[in-house]
Structures are given as C-alpha cells and as structure tokens.
Amino acid sequence: MRKGLSPFNVVSLTFGFAFLYLPIVLLVIYSFNASRLVTVWGGFSAHWYASLLQNDDLLSAAWVTVRVGILSATLATVLGTMAAVTLTRMRRFRGRTLFSGMIYAPLVMPEVITGLSMLLLFVAVGFERGFVTLVIAHVTFSMCFVAVVVQSRLVTFDRSLEEAAMDLGCTPAKTFFVITLPIIAPAIVSGWMLAFTLSIDDLVISQFTTGPGATTLPMQIYSMVRRGVTPEINAICTILIAIVTTGVIIASIATKRAEAERLKAERAAAAGR
C-alpha cells in the first residue's frame, strides 16, 4: 500500500481544499446571477459585468490599484533583489545583523502596526497622503518577500559560473547582468508576482497611508460590503481572481521554461569541459 493515500488523508485533503476553494467557486457562480439578491439564484446572466462599466467608483479604484501594484512591485523587486544580493554575497560587514533584521521585520510585523507607524511618519514629516505614500507603503511591506524569494535562489547559485566569466575578462557588473541575472530571473519574476499580488490584496496598510483620490479596490469593496453585498462585488472579485490566476499560470510557465533552459545550458557546458 502506498504511503500518504490513506482514507484519513484523502478525507482531510478533500475537506481542506473544499474549505479553501468552495467559497471562491460560489462567488464566481453567483457573479453570473441574474437576481439582485446575492443569495437567491435568479438564472444565468452577465448583466453585472456590464454594469461595472457604469460604476465610476469601482473603475477608478481598480485603475489606482493596478498602477500602485505595478509601480510598487517593480520598485520592491529592484530593492529586494539588491538586498538579497547584499545578504548573500557580503557575508560580513558592519551592521549586517541590523540590516537583515530591518529587511525581515515586515514579515512578522502586524499590518496594523506597520500602517500606523507609516501614518505617523508621514504626518511627522508633513508629507501629504495620497498615491505616492500608498506606493511607498506597499514597497516597504512587499520588498522583504522579494528579498526572501531571491535570496533562496542565490544561496544555491553556482559561483563557478561567475568566476569563469570574470576569468575570461568580464567585469563584476557585466558578469552580474550577463550571467547572474538571467539565472536568477525566475526567482525575480516570482518575487514580482508575489509583490504585485500582495499590493492589490492589501487593505489594512492602505487604509492608514492613503489619501484623497487614492482609493484602492479592496478599500472600495470593503466600503461597499459594509452597506451590503451586491452582485457587482461578486463580478469585480471574479475578475480579480481571473487576473491573479492568469498571472500565476504565466509566471509558472515562464519559470519552468527558464529552468529548463538553465539545465540545458549547464549540461551543454558540462559536456564541453
């Protein structure tokens, strides 16, 4: 009998996955509900998706969310990659413990504390809250996740490839961009996707650091839910699920292809030695 396929494990996995994904499936199904009552099925209809085009508040919030997500994820990826390279390649330097602690602190810090501390900082320096403060806040809490993902790839990186490139005359900067960066690209892409997902999902920190004209989609949905769930909320959430799922699939395919190309290149290099 194969291990891990006992009836108890099967039942546990079934209930676990049902608990996680059944609410999402129901949300998607009821987004096509013709009835205005979200708990009463009134037939199949795509009316609520069409009505989203007339909802200026949701469209504006969605546009802000996308802009903040792309910009903050890009900045967090650059800074997180730099932090990961520093922690991996520079084993000993003054303040390394403090630096690594500051990088990993947002991982364990409650979002309420992070949001409140950033609010107090912006108020103390007289920085007007809005789109810029929202991006800064999202970069702050998502950069650490990128650093962890990229650092895990750099730990297993074969340094002999860089040494061979520099022996052939490459400068350290050229070696990084020509050799190191393409190899760790899957981890960087994964870090960007993770940062983007965390950004479009955040509510608590955004509530503290946003301002007029910078309402994100989670904030808009939360304010609408407090007045009662409408089919439009189901529709916009379904669109978000589709976007995130598509992005994860694309990133997974790109990562697998890059990993296959890396293995192929390593085998070709080993055969040529």
Side-chain angles (χ1 to χ4, degrees):
M1 183 176 179
R2 295 175 61 184
K3 294 182 179 180
L5 295 178
S6 65
F8 176 78
N9 290 340
V10 173
V11 172
S12 300
L13 287 174
T14 301
F15 277 101
F17 283 117
F19 178 78
L20 290 173
Y21 295 107
L22 186 58
I24 298 177
V25 173
L26 291 176
L27 183 146
V28 173
I29 293 174
Y30 275 95
S31 68
F32 296 97
N33 185 13
S35 174
R36 184 173 291 275
L37 301 176
V38 294
T39 57
V40 178
W41 181 257
F44 181 86
S45 175
H47 167 72
W48 304 112
Y49 288 90
S51 66
L52 287 176
L53 300 177
Q54 282 89 39
N55 194 322
D56 294 334
D57 293 335
L58 278 176
L59 292 177
S60 176
W63 177 233
V64 171
T65 302
V66 171
R67 288 189 296 153
V68 171
I70 293 176
L71 184 56
S72 64
T74 303
L75 293 175
T77 300
V78 174
L79 296 176
T81 301
M82 294 172 61
V85 171
T86 301
L87 291 173
T88 305
R89 300 299 171 83
M90 300 179 65
R91 296 292 183 178
R92 296 180 180 179
F93 61 89
R94 182 173 298 179
R96 186 183 192 280
T97 303
L98 177 62
F99 178 73
S100 60
M102 293 175 65
I103 292 294
Y104 298 134
L107 287 171
V108 297
M109 191 74 66
E111 289 189 341
V112 173
I113 296 179
T114 302
L116 180 59
S117 61
M118 299 202 72
L119 171 62
L120 295 176
L121 173 65
F122 294 142
V123 172
V125 300
F127 208 81
E128 184 178 356
R129 287 179 294 159
F131 182 84
V132 176
T133 57
L134 201 58
V135 172
I136 294 174
H138 284 210
V139 171
T140 301
F141 75 79
S142 61
M143 178 182 65
C144 58
F145 292 91
V146 178
V148 170
V149 174
V150 177
Q151 187 178 7
S152 64
R153 179 66 186 91
L154 286 171
V155 168
T156 60
F157 186 85
D158 187 3
R159 296 292 300 274
S160 63
L161 298 175
E162 295 177 330
E163 294 173 356
M166 286 187 285
D167 287 341
L168 294 174
C170 282
T171 61
K174 186 176 181 180
T175 300
F176 177 79
F177 286 104
V178 175
I179 304 298
T180 309
L181 191 60
I183 294 177
I184 66 174
I188 295 176
V189 173
S190 300
W192 189 94
M193 289 296 302
L194 180 59
F196 179 75
T197 303
L198 291 171
S199 176
I200 65 176
D201 177 67
D202 182 73
L203 173 63
V204 177
I205 297 177
S206 298
Q207 292 275 17
F208 284 98
T209 57
T210 191
T215 302
T216 63
L217 193 57
M219 295 169 57
Q220 182 66 29
I221 292 174
Y222 179 71
S223 64
M224 294 173 64
V225 168
R226 295 178 65 182
R227 298 192 298 268
V229 180
T230 64
E232 288 183 346
I233 296 178
N234 292 342
I236 192 66
C237 290
T238 301
I239 294 175
L240 279 177
I241 293 171
I243 293 174
V244 173
T245 303
T246 303
V248 170
I249 293 174
I250 294 174
S252 178
I253 294 174
T255 301
K256 289 182 179 180
R257 289 183 176 178
E259 187 68 17
E261 292 178 358
R262 183 184 68 83
L263 292 175
K264 183 179 179 180
E266 290 181 354
R267 290 172 183 172
R273 290 176 181 176

